[in-house]
């Protein structure tokens, strides 16, 4: 049942997101609007489009949610595998299950580490620039003393 529903949800989401489906919906709305004078813009005429769009929206919400849940789980699994197989900290595996407070603490920890990395990078760049200026000055002094 799960495999059938996953296949059905994927196929429906793909079809519903296609340009053809969009054009078909536009055609239906135009046909409905054009039929208004024939039905004297009655309540039943209005109820037809309202009911149809409500039913389609209701069903699509569940299909789209199912597709997004599976995509999210697949993406999370891929990220977990990349973390597990790399030098990254294993503490990041499964963080989607943490509470908001735990996620905020981990985020703060990552921000602090990023600031330290940026500071070290800035220091390294500054040191390289200082050495380059010093080397240029020494080179100029040598060139001047040989002339």
């Amino acid at each position: 049942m799960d495999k059938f529903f996953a296949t059905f949800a994927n196929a429906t989401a793909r079809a519903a997101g296609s340009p053809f489906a969009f054009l078909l919906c536009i055609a239906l709305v135009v046909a409905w609007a054009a039929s208004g004078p024939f039905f004297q813009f009655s309540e039943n005429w209005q109820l037809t489009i309202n009911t149809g769009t409500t039913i389609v929206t209701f069903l699509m919400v569940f299909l789209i949610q199912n597709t997004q849940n599976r995509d999210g789980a697949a993406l999370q699994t891929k990220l977990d595998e990349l973390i597990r197989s790399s030098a990254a900290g294993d503490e990041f595996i499964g963080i989607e299950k943490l509470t908001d407070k735990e996620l905020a603490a981990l985020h703060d920890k990552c921000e602090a580490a990023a600031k330290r990395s940026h500071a070290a990078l800035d220091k390294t760049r500054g040191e390289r620039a200082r050495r380059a200026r010093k080397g240029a000055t020494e080179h100029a002094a040598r060139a001047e003393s040989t002339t």
Side-chain angles (χ1 to χ4, degrees):
M1 179 71 172
D2 284 344
K3 183 78 169 163
F4 170 76
F5 185 72
T7 304
F8 174 75
N10 277 338
T12 304
R14 236 184 341 274
S18 71
F20 176 75
F22 180 74
L23 292 175
L24 179 65
C25 288
I26 287 176
L28 284 171
V29 170
V30 168
W32 170 79
S35 70
F38 177 75
F39 292 102
Q40 289 109 28
F41 301 101
S42 68
E43 285 187 24
N44 283 340
W45 173 78
Q46 292 177 27
L47 190 59
T48 301
I49 195 74
N50 290 340
T51 303
T53 56
T54 300
I55 290 169
V56 168
T57 302
F58 179 76
L59 295 174
M60 288 305 292
V61 164
F62 293 101
L63 288 175
I64 291 168
Q65 187 63 52
N66 177 270
T67 303
Q68 286 182 337
N69 287 348
R70 274 185 291 102
D71 286 349
L75 180 62
Q76 200 60 53
T77 302
K78 290 174 185 179
L79 289 172
D80 287 350
E81 178 58 18
L82 286 173
I83 291 168
R84 189 194 61 73
S85 64
S86 71
D90 286 347
E91 66 187 306
F92 291 98
I93 293 178
I95 65 171
E96 71 278 3
K97 296 176 183 111
L98 298 178
T99 65
D100 289 341
K101 196 179 231 182
E102 292 168 327
L103 278 173
L106 194 55
H107 178 75
D108 291 344
K109 181 180 173 183
C110 287
E111 260 188 3
K115 285 179 183 175
R116 286 191 302 273
S117 293
H118 285 287
L121 185 59
D122 289 343
K123 184 178 177 182
T124 302
R125 285 182 183 146
E127 182 63 24
R128 284 184 183 159
R130 186 187 64 76
R131 287 181 184 174
R133 284 190 305 273
K134 183 180 176 185
T137 304
E138 289 174 356
H139 179 70
R142 271 186 257 131
E144 202 174 285
S145 67
T146 59
T147 54

